[in-house]
Every structure is written in C-alpha cells, then in structure tokens.
Amino acid sequence: MDKGIPAEEVPPPAVAAIDPRLLVREEGFKGYITEFKRKLKGGELGSLPVIVALIVIWVIFQSQSSKFLTSGNVLHITYFLSGTGMLAIGLVFVLLLGEIDLSVASVSGLASALFAVFTATHGMNVWLALLLTVAIGAGIGVFQGFFFAKIGVPAFVVTLAGFLGWNGLMLWVLGDTGSLQIADTGPIHLLGQNSYFMNQDIAGAYVLATVGVAALLLGSLVEQGRRRKAGVPFRTTGEILLRTVLLAIVAYGMAIVLNNAGGVPNALVFFLVALIICDFVLRRTTFGRKVFALGGSVEASRRAGINVGIVRMAVFGISGGFAAIGGLFLAGQTQAATLQGGGGNLLMLAIAAAVIGGTSLFGGRGNVWSALLGMLVIQSIQTGLDLLNMNQSIQYMITGAVLLAAVIVDSVSRRTQKSSGRA
C-alpha cells in the first residue's frame, strides 16, 4: 500500500457487474421471480399486457354468451384474422423502423383486382398470376420506399399518396362493373372458408401441433448448446421443458377445439408459416438486426456502415408484398374482387393489430408475433360483439379504446426504461 494514502481513503476493489440473466440460472425459481420484478420495474413488459387483455376479453364475452368459446366460433376467429393479419405482418417491419405505411389497404385491394383480371379476363395460370401479383405489391412498396429513403419525402406523405393513388388504380382496373369473380381454384380455393389442412383429416391438427412443439424444443436445445459453448447466459433445461409443455398444452388444446369444428383452416396455416419465417428473418439474420438498429438510431446505424436507404426500401417492399398477399387472402374469403377491397376500416385494423400486439410506434422494439396477438384481440372483439348483436359503432369505439390503451402502455414502458437507464 502506498504510505502516502491513509488506509481509510483507499477505494474498495472494483466489483464486476453481474449479468442479471446469470442470477436466474444460479438462483433457480427465486431467480425467475427476481428477473420478472427487474423487467417490470424497467418497463420490459413484452407481450404480457396483451395476453392479459386477451384473457379478460374472452372471459367477458364468454360470460355474456356461452357460444363465444365454442369450437365453431373459435374456428371463425382463427380463419378471419389471417387476411388482415398478413397486412399487419408487413406493417410490423415498417413500425420497427419507426415509420408508417398508410397504403397497405389500397395495395391489398389493387392486388385482388389485378389477380382477378389476370386470371378471369386474360386466362393466366393462377399460380403465375399469384407470383406476379405479389411481385407487383412488393414493387409498389419499393417504389414508395425510394421516395422516402432516397428523395427524403416523409413516409407518411408518400404512403398517404399511395393510399389514394392505388385505390384509384384499383377502381380503374375493375372498370364499370366494379366487381370481378375469381374462380374457386388454385390459391383462392386453398384460402377459401371450406378449405382445411389435410382435407379435414383429424390428424392434420395434431401433426401441426407436434411439429410446432418439436421445433420449439429442438431449437431451444440447439440455442442452449450454442450459448453455453460461447460462455454467455442461456436458458436452463428446466425452463426449456416448461416452455415446451406450455406450448404443447396450447397447441394440442387448439387442435382438439378446431377438429371439433372441422379442422385447421389453410389460411391460418399459411399465416402461421409466414410468422415463423418472418420471425426468423428479424431475429436470426443480418437484415433483421439492421432493421432493429435503424429503429433505434438512424445516425448510429449509418456510422456503423449500414446502407440505410437499401434497408428502408427493402422494408417497404416487404410491407407491399404482404399487403398483396393479404389482399389475396381477403379475396379468398369472398372469391371476388370488388370496389370494397382495401376499403372500410381495413387499414386501421391492420395498424391497430401490430400496435396492440406489442410493436412500438416509436421504432426499434417488437416482433412479428404482434400481428397474431393483435389480430386475436381485434377479431375476438368483433366476433364477440357480433354474437351480442352490438352495433358496428360499438366495435369501433371499443377497438379504438384498446388501441389507445396499447399505445399508452408502450409510452409508459419506454419512459420507465429511460428512467431506469435501459432505453
């Protein structure tokens, strides 16, 4: 010890910071409670608020109508959420940038009209027409993204112009009749209300449930091994097994319910596949990390060498592509392209689904599963109020209140994170 420094003034040795996730592993169940409290105080609520809200909604409607949680009504909810849900998936990507795309509803209506013209008027092969339609939707998104990313026009203005312009083009494509029937073949048949996975075979639902549970278990074990080898915090085997059991209960429970109503709709299967693929893209690829980085700070991303313009254009292209896919899903429900395509409250519901599900309006936080959770909330409200014969005005007011509540939770959460130094 230096003789010139009194012992009482010598600072204590530095204590290495401990990753709170390591405490979870070391303290067992107590560690999970501590971690939950830490996240709650830090504003890291995740999907918890929307899951709680969903349970409350189901309890309320079931208490008002015994038909709400019947197999047939659950089938109705899961089928009709897929079309708007596809639009919401694309919007999640845009919201992660902290931007908005107001054109998705018009693009979806235009996509259904173009598909009808390609197949019904020009006799094009249905699968070729599908690919061309989705490519046009993605191209529209890239086109709009160019003005935002390269010219500097605000995304709100560009996509608002698109909302008006693509809707006008849809009206022109449909012509004087204002409606074109779409043959019940190919993709439209697969997306129809009477089209089920494995042709209503009871094994189909259980196959899907088994694949989902097995994928979670294997993926979690592989991730655990990779993180253990790298010497970073990882989920314990007990936690992995608990997550797997919980998913199995939900998955096989839904399989039983849907089998009682006829089976798993193809539209729901395609929607879930899209969610899985997009979740992988956002969480496991370089492109996904760039999207989150841009949502956090554009300037920091630019200094890190990220091509901001290309990523922005790609994200709006994804949004346009999913808008076109959503338009085909909605056309499959009616087997027609009409003037009402992309109209009504479709845009608002798609945006609301992404936000209610937990994707932040401020960018940088969220995941594609928000589209599923948000659509479950919205479709549950609509279906429940329909069962109670409530006026559509009530549906709008309740959905608006839920959206406002979701944004308030998001804002409070971000403020709490900033105050705790975790923003």
Side-chain angles (χ1 to χ4, degrees):
M1 179 183 298
D2 191 335
K3 295 181 179 180
I5 302 177
E8 62 273 10
E9 295 181 12
V10 177
V15 178
I18 300 177
D19 191 322
R21 291 172 295 183
L22 291 175
L23 296 177
V24 174
R25 187 176 67 191
E26 295 172 357
E27 298 181 5
F29 181 74
K30 180 182 177 181
Y32 286 105
I33 298 299
T34 302
E35 175 71 354
F36 176 76
K37 291 180 179 178
R38 182 188 68 82
K39 288 184 175 181
L40 197 61
K41 291 180 180 179
E44 300 177 62
L45 301 177
S47 300
L48 180 61
V50 67
I51 292 175
V52 172
L54 189 59
I55 293 173
V56 171
I57 289 170
W58 287 349
V59 170
I60 291 175
F61 281 123
Q62 179 63 21
S63 67
Q64 298 297 313
S65 173
S66 59
K67 296 180 180 180
F68 182 74
L69 291 180
T70 58
S71 297
N73 200 55
V74 172
L75 175 64
H76 177 91
I77 292 173
T78 57
Y79 173 73
F80 283 99
L81 64 78
S82 59
T84 308
M86 282 295 186
L87 275 70
I89 291 177
L91 282 167
V92 167
F93 281 81
V94 177
L95 290 173
L96 287 175
L97 293 181
E99 302 296 340
I100 193 67
D101 186 350
L102 300 178
S103 69
V104 290
S106 294
V107 173
S108 72
L110 174 62
S112 63
L114 289 174
F115 182 83
V117 170
F118 291 153
T119 55
T121 305
H122 299 289
M124 184 182 294
N125 176 274
V126 290
W127 294 104
L128 177 59
L130 181 146
L131 293 175
L132 182 57
T133 299
V134 175
I136 291 174
I140 288 174
V142 172
F143 175 72
Q144 295 179 151
F146 171 80
F147 286 98
F148 165 56
K150 298 298 185 179
I151 307 300
V153 182
F156 178 89
V157 177
V158 174
T159 57
L160 178 60
F163 169 79
L164 298 171
W166 306 126
N167 186 65
L169 182 58
M170 178 196 70
L171 299 179
W172 180 79
V173 168
L174 290 176
D176 296 333
T177 61
S179 176
L180 286 174
Q181 293 299 119
I182 302 177
D184 185 20
T185 59
I188 296 302
H189 175 73
L190 291 176
L191 298 173
Q193 296 188 38
N194 297 316
S195 183
Y196 298 91
F197 183 68
M198 292 180 62
N199 295 321
Q200 292 184 291
D201 189 328
I202 191 173
Y206 298 116
V207 167
L208 290 173
T210 302
V211 169
V213 172
L216 175 67
L217 177 59
L218 293 176
S220 298
L221 291 175
V222 169
E223 177 71 5
Q224 181 196 57
R226 187 180 67 84
R227 296 181 70 86
R228 189 199 300 269
K229 185 177 180 180
V232 297
F234 57 86
R235 288 195 175 99
T236 63
T237 302
E239 181 184 353
I240 291 174
L241 292 177
L242 177 60
R243 285 169 168 263
T244 303
V245 170
L246 292 176
L247 177 62
I249 293 173
V250 174
Y252 286 105
M254 284 297 298
I256 293 172
V257 171
L258 292 177
N259 274 335
N260 289 335
V264 183
N266 281 328
L268 176 62
V269 176
F270 296 142
F271 179 50
L272 293 176
V273 169
L275 287 171
I276 293 170
I277 294 174
C278 290
D279 180 64
F280 177 83
V281 169
L282 281 175
R283 295 195 303 115
R284 303 295 184 187
T285 67
T286 301
F287 174 76
R289 289 189 285 272
K290 290 178 180 179
V291 172
F292 279 104
L294 276 178
S297 173
V298 175
E299 187 56 34
S301 300
R302 184 178 287 110
R303 293 182 179 182
I306 295 175
N307 191 323
V308 175
I310 293 298
V311 174
R312 282 174 164 174
M313 290 171 63
V315 165
F316 276 88
I318 290 171
S319 179
F322 273 103
I325 295 172
L328 295 177
F329 271 63
L330 295 171
Q333 295 174 6
T334 60
Q335 296 182 7
T338 66
L339 294 176
Q340 286 70 43
N345 60 347
L346 178 60
L347 172 62
M348 295 300 103
L349 291 181
I351 296 174
V355 176
I356 290 172
T359 299
S360 176
L361 280 169
F362 304 100
R365 188 176 63 186
N367 58 73
V368 293
W369 296 99
S370 302
L372 174 60
L373 291 173
M375 280 309 305
L376 277 173
V377 169
I378 291 174
Q379 196 62 52
S380 295
I381 292 173
Q382 290 184 332
T383 304
L385 293 177
D386 285 341
L387 285 175
L388 299 178
N389 294 318
M390 291 287 188
N391 191 280
Q392 194 174 45
S393 60
I394 304 297
Q395 295 184 16
Y396 288 167
M397 287 188 283
I398 293 179
T399 303
V402 173
L403 174 59
L404 177 60
V407 176
I408 290 174
V409 169
D410 180 35
S411 300
V412 172
S413 176
R414 288 181 64 87
R415 184 177 300 175
T416 304
Q417 287 187 13
K418 287 182 179 179
S419 62
S420 62
R422 298 186 60 85

